[in-house]
Amino acid sequence: MADARQTALSEALSEPVWPASPPLFRIAGVALAVALLAYPLVFTGTFSHHLMIMIFLHAIMAQSWNVIAGMSGQISLGHSLFFGLGAYASAVLYVKLGVTPWVGLVAGMSISALVAAAIGIPTLRLRGHYFAIATLLIGISAQIIFQRWEWVGAASGIWMPIERNNPWLAFQFHGTKLPYYYLSLLFCTLSFAVVWFLQRTRLGMRLLAVRDEPEAAASLGIDVAWHKVVAFMISGAMMSAAGTFFAQYVLVIDPDRVFNLELSVLALLMVVLGGTGTLWGPALGAAILIPLSEFTRTWFGGTGGTVDLIIYGILILLICIYQPRGLLSLVTERLRRRVDTL
Amino acid sequence: MTELLKVVGLSKRFGGVKANEDISFDARKGEILGIIGPNGAGKSTLFDLLTGYQEPDSGTVVLNGHTITGMRPDRISRMGVGRTFQKLKPFPDLTLIENVMVGALARTSNIREARDQALEAIAFVDLLAKRHSFARELSTGQRKRLELARALATGPRLLLLDEVTGGVDQKTIPGLIDLVQALRGRGITILTIEHNMQVVMEVSDRILALQFGKRIAFGLPDAVRSDPHVVDAYLGSADAA
């Protein structure tokens, strides 16, 4: 009996820590990578590039929201705050001081992480919905502050001066969207890497524990409140990077656009739709919702903005009723069952 | 034997209810201390006071010479106190290995080391076959073993077990008793809340009996079993009858 247990233990110890993904998955992953790299060369239309850039950008936002909600279990309803901070940090530094947006990107991420800590330290100690309410109100307040802040252009926002000589340094590209496409793909991949890496580190595993059962997590030596704050800081910095990218993509930012409550809701919707706490769910949510919104806008004209919201609402209702773990679980649960029966 | 835990005059009230009143006892290194008492006697409250989940109104808890009264649960855990919960709290969306790894990560930040320590703890509770199952898929008995392995993986000096044999079917009880005794073999001091009198008499070195939040007896199993207060508490007093 004891020998059998010893044998089973040494067998288990010889397994890799993280099981390798099935060959099918690896092939699919490579195929997806090739397809995404080749896409803009095959589909050369401006709109087809724009659509994918929007999907990547929103996938970053979704992945950011996934870190705070999916990994630490805290619902932020004010994530547009960090999007706006990222957009404004790089734009203000560029317009006022001539600092390259690449430095602005890092500055925005740092500011966002600090703001996240300032919000998180008092609010993440509280239980229940206080954090959600606090983030919602702070997100709305930030928009109002920037609408009235003359130094950063108040309600009319900031126009970035056109710079054609040094596109990479100025982080703006004219006449082609290709650099934006590959940059957003790179940013998006990095946001995936953050979540992938987190899931395999002490910090990430502890976050999942905090999400699932905070009291049990504390009994294992985990400082629950601090872990939530760290997750919020990482999440805020990621959202901020998306904001900087967006500012450099459209080159005109104003509070109504970058501090828009709708962005916070959209981030939530994408993650819930795709699968909270999963690696691929947020991207799946973005890949479904963003084309929906872009196409309804072209089909229904200016009023399309409300049509897509109605469809979002219906989708979320359906997800909550039929597939509360998100669309991705349709695939993963089926796969698991197949693996188990093998 | 040397003293690991010393509790003096611990009291806690919730509104008008005295959940714990002036409770004092000690636990020696390597000892199994059984805690008994009828429902509502204050056993789980006592655990919450010892592990920082509730703050006592008065009294002190001293662990290995350090006063830990009123410390946060995670800090007490890092001082070497592990616990399981009466109402089980596994991490449902993590696998069994991952659950126990989170415990092991209290000792090491190296994922591979944590995995190996987790597997050893899982082997110790004899649940290796289920290591890749999600915690939500495990039975109640298996979840109890999970909690035991998870607490064990933190490398505790003192382990607080809240009703390890409660709510599991009769035939798994002997296995759980063997586990508790094997834990002592590892030099771990154990406080165990038990409803099953047979079990508690069998495994405990000493027994602390509570009723209505007060200590009614403390000592060797035989002495506690024949203590008139304990007999009263369990069989009802002669006056009331």
Side-chain angles (χ1 to χ4, degrees):
Chain A
M1 179 67 192
D3 276 352
R5 204 188 284 187
Q6 198 56 49
T7 320
L9 176 59
S10 34
E11 191 193 301
L13 284 170
S14 65
E15 287 174 359
V17 177
W18 307 110
S21 42
L24 189 70
F25 270 36
R26 269 178 282 173
I27 294 167
V30 172
L32 180 67
V34 171
L36 290 178
L37 287 171
Y39 173 92
L41 309 174
V42 179
F43 301 93
T44 49
T46 310
F47 178 74
S48 57
H49 290 180
H50 169 74
L51 180 64
M52 292 302 280
I53 291 168
M54 282 294 123
I55 292 176
F56 295 146
L57 176 71
H58 285 81
I60 301 168
M61 294 159 60
Q63 206 61 280
S64 148
W65 200 78
N66 193 29
V67 170
I68 182 67
M71 297 198 69
S72 87
Q74 305 304 304
I75 307 291
S76 162
L77 295 178
H79 245 49
S80 59
L81 168 67
F82 303 116
F83 190 84
L85 285 178
Y88 269 88
S90 58
V92 166
L93 281 175
Y94 184 63
V95 172
K96 307 259 179 195
L97 303 171
V99 176
T100 163
W102 292 101
V103 174
L105 172 79
V106 178
M109 291 173 76
S110 313
I111 293 169
S112 292
L114 289 176
V115 170
I119 298 170
I121 288 170
T123 55
L124 285 168
R125 293 189 177 276
L126 306 170
R127 275 158 201 259
H129 304 307
Y130 296 105
F131 177 69
I133 296 167
T135 49
L136 176 65
L137 295 180
I138 292 168
I140 294 170
S141 313
Q143 187 177 34
I144 297 171
I145 290 169
F146 275 81
Q147 278 165 347
R148 282 155 182 71
W149 191 358
E150 291 295 339
W151 189 67
V152 296
S156 48
I158 297 178
W159 294 65
M160 244 75 76
I162 303 296
E163 162 68 57
R164 291 180 190 277
N165 298 328
N166 226 330
W168 284 97
L169 189 67
F171 199 146
Q172 46 174 284
F173 310 93
H174 302 282
T176 171
K177 287 187 190 293
L178 266 185
Y180 285 119
Y181 178 92
Y182 286 112
L183 275 177
S184 58
L185 178 58
L186 174 70
F187 278 30
C188 182
T189 309
L190 288 176
S191 75
F192 263 68
V194 169
V195 172
W196 185 88
F197 189 68
L198 265 182
Q199 286 177 339
R200 284 161 176 73
T201 56
R202 168 150 95 163
L203 174 65
M205 294 195 72
R206 289 180 144 193
L207 286 177
L208 297 177
V210 165
R211 174 196 70 189
D212 276 6
E213 274 292 350
E215 290 199 340
S219 82
L220 304 173
I222 299 171
D223 183 340
V224 172
W226 176 242
H227 274 75
K228 291 180 193 167
V229 170
V230 171
F232 196 39
M233 290 171 73
I234 296 171
S235 174
M238 288 168 72
M239 192 74 176
S240 173
T244 296
F245 179 89
F246 180 76
Q248 293 309 121
Y249 182 59
V250 296
L251 296 174
V252 186
I253 58 167
D254 62 74
D256 285 346
R257 264 179 121 172
V258 298
F259 284 105
N260 196 331
L261 180 65
E262 214 180 282
L263 290 171
S264 309
V265 178
L266 193 57
L268 176 154
L269 286 182
M270 289 185 288
V271 179
V272 173
L273 183 69
T276 315
T278 63
L279 180 61
W280 288 95
L284 183 66
I288 294 170
L289 287 191
I290 300 313
L292 200 71
S293 123
E294 295 290 333
F295 283 117
T296 48
R297 200 163 299 162
T298 42
W299 288 335
F300 297 95
T303 52
T306 46
V307 174
D308 57 8
L309 283 181
I310 293 168
I311 300 175
Y312 291 171
I314 294 170
L315 274 175
I316 285 302
L317 268 178
L318 292 176
I319 278 289
C320 290
I321 297 169
Y322 294 108
Q323 201 66 27
R325 285 176 187 277
L327 284 179
L328 190 69
S329 67
L330 281 176
V331 185
T332 49
E333 272 170 21
R334 197 155 298 175
L335 261 172
R336 242 176 75 79
R337 252 177 264 139
R338 211 158 72 192
V339 170
D340 284 347
T341 50
L342 278 179
Chain B
M1 274 201 278
T2 44
E3 194 179 75
L4 180 71
L5 178 73
K6 186 161 183 63
V7 176
V8 181
L10 217 50
S11 296
K12 176 73 182 177
R13 51 167 67 237
F14 298 110
V17 181
K18 289 172 180 164
N20 274 188
E21 198 181 349
D22 195 28
I23 292 178
S24 302
F25 67 96
D26 63 282
R28 301 163 186 154
K29 274 186 184 137
E31 180 175 39
I32 298 182
L33 187 76
I35 299 176
I36 61 169
N39 282 329
K43 306 182 294 292
S44 288
T45 300
L46 177 62
F47 268 21
D48 282 349
L49 295 180
L50 296 180
T51 50
Y53 285 84
Q54 300 278 353
E55 205 171 328
D57 299 330
S58 59
T60 54
V61 182
V62 178
L63 179 77
N64 224 11
H66 302 280
T67 304
I68 60 168
T69 328
M71 272 191 189
R72 277 205 323 255
D74 54 300
R75 292 198 55 201
I76 291 179
S77 162
R78 288 199 288 273
M79 311 237 349
V81 181
R83 73 169 291 181
T84 68
F85 295 88
Q86 182 187 13
K87 189 176 169 294
L88 296 171
K89 295 180 190 294
F91 306 124
D93 290 338
L94 302 189
T95 63
L96 171 58
I97 289 196
E98 289 167 346
N99 263 271
V100 183
M101 275 174 81
V102 175
L105 286 169
R107 274 195 285 180
T108 172
S109 56
N110 181 304
I111 287 287
R112 169 140 217 128
E113 267 175 40
R115 200 282 304 253
D116 292 353
Q117 288 171 5
L119 282 175
E120 271 164 42
I122 294 170
F124 181 77
V125 301
D126 202 11
L127 210 54
L128 271 180
K130 292 279 178 187
R131 62 186 181 275
H132 294 302
S133 300
F134 285 107
R136 61 172 187 267
E137 301 164 342
L138 300 177
S139 72
T140 305
Q142 289 166 343
R143 284 183 210 183
K144 295 214 166 185
R145 287 164 185 268
L146 175 154
E147 288 218 347
L148 201 56
R150 192 174 64 182
L152 187 61
T154 64
R157 281 184 291 191
L158 176 67
L159 194 52
L160 280 64
L161 306 176
D162 201 340
E163 290 199 34
V164 175
T165 63
V168 301
D169 61 280
Q170 287 295 316
K171 64 177 193 291
T172 60
I173 290 179
L176 287 167
I177 295 173
D178 290 345
L179 272 183
V180 173
Q181 271 161 344
L183 284 173
R184 190 230 313 258
R186 296 188 158 201
I188 299 172
T189 307
I190 295 165
L191 264 58
T192 176
I193 291 179
E194 265 302 336
H195 269 301
N196 187 322
M197 285 302 265
Q198 226 177 332
V199 170
V200 79
M201 291 297 162
E202 192 183 324
V203 301
S204 308
D205 296 310
R206 287 188 298 167
I207 290 176
L208 170 69
L210 304 179
Q211 189 186 17
F212 302 129
K214 284 186 206 149
R215 166 179 141 176
I216 53 172
F218 180 47
L220 297 173
D222 284 337
V224 170
R225 189 189 349 226
S226 51
D227 186 285
H229 295 103
V230 176
V231 174
D232 269 5
Y234 277 88
L235 301 176
S237 76
D239 300 340

